[in-house]
Amino acid sequence: MERLLDRLERRFGRYAPESITAVIVTLMGVAGVLELFRPGFTAALTLDPAMVRGGQLWRLASWLILPPSFSPIWLFFALWWTWFCGSRLQALMGPFRYALYWLTGWAVTTAVAVALGASTTNSAILMSLFLGFATYEPEFEILVLFVLPVRVKWLAWLDAAAIAWQVIAASGWSRLLPLLAVANYL
C-alpha cells in the first residue's frame, strides 16, 4: 500500500491543495455564523440521501462543513481544534496524503450513507482527523480547560471509545457509518 501511495504522490502530488484545513475551517465558520443569524440554514447542508436523490447534489459534499456546535464559544473551540489538528496532520503527512485522507473519509462515509439511506454528520471524520494527529504525535501535550496537561494519546483513547459508543448505540446497518467514517484512519 505504501508503494502505491508513493507512486500516486509522485504522479499527482503537485495537484494536492495546500490549504484543505483552512478552507474547511473557514466554511465551517461561515456555516456556523449563518446558522446563528438564520436558524435552520444548515438543514440545507446535511447529508440526506432522500434529498440527494431528489436532485440536491450539493448535500454530497456540504455536510463536511457543518460545525459540531452552533454555540458561539463551542463553535470557536471546534474551529480552532479542527484547524490545529488538521494543520499539524497536514504538515506531518504532506499535502497529497492529507488530501487523500480527507477524500477517503468523505467518499466512504458518503457512499455508505447514501447506500443505506441514512443521514450522517461529520463528527466521525473530525474524530479521525484527531486520531491521525494523535497517532503521529502521541506525546503532544495540551492543556484541558487551560489548566490540566494531558497527552493526546489519552484523549485519542476517549475518541476511540466515543466512536465505539456510536457503533453500539446505532441500529441495523447504520452501525457501519461511524466505523467507516474513520476508514481513512484505519
Side-chain angles (χ1 to χ4, degrees), residues 8 11 17 22 32-33 45 47 55 64 76 78 85 93 109 119 124 128 130-131 135-136 138 140 157 175 181:
L8 288 171
R11 184 170 176 118
V33 169
L45 302 177
L47 178 58
L64 279 176
F76 171 78
C85 290
M93 294 176 86
T109 305
S119 185
S128 77
F130 173 65
L131 287 174
T135 298
Y136 276 100
F140 189 87
W157 281 108
R175 289 177 184 226

Side-chain angles (χ1 to χ4, degrees), residues 25-103:
V25 167
T26 300
L27 292 173
M28 284 172 76
V30 168
V33 169
L34 286 173
E35 179 66 26
L36 289 174
F37 291 109
R38 293 195 61 206
F41 169 78
T42 56
L45 302 177
T46 60
L47 178 58
D48 183 347
M51 301 299 256
V52 170
R53 284 190 283 281
Q56 296 181 5
L57 298 179
W58 68 84
R59 291 176 180 267
L60 293 172
S62 63
W63 65 275
L64 279 176
I65 64 163
L66 290 172
S69 174
F70 297 109
S71 164
I73 189 74
W74 290 115
L75 175 64
F76 171 78
F77 283 116
L79 295 176
W80 174 79
W81 187 245
T82 303
W83 174 82
F84 177 77
C85 290
S87 59
R88 300 275 304 197
L89 189 57
Q90 182 171 354
L92 293 164
M93 294 176 86
F96 177 78
R97 290 175 188 236
Y98 183 68
L100 201 56
Y101 192 79
W102 272 101
L103 181 65

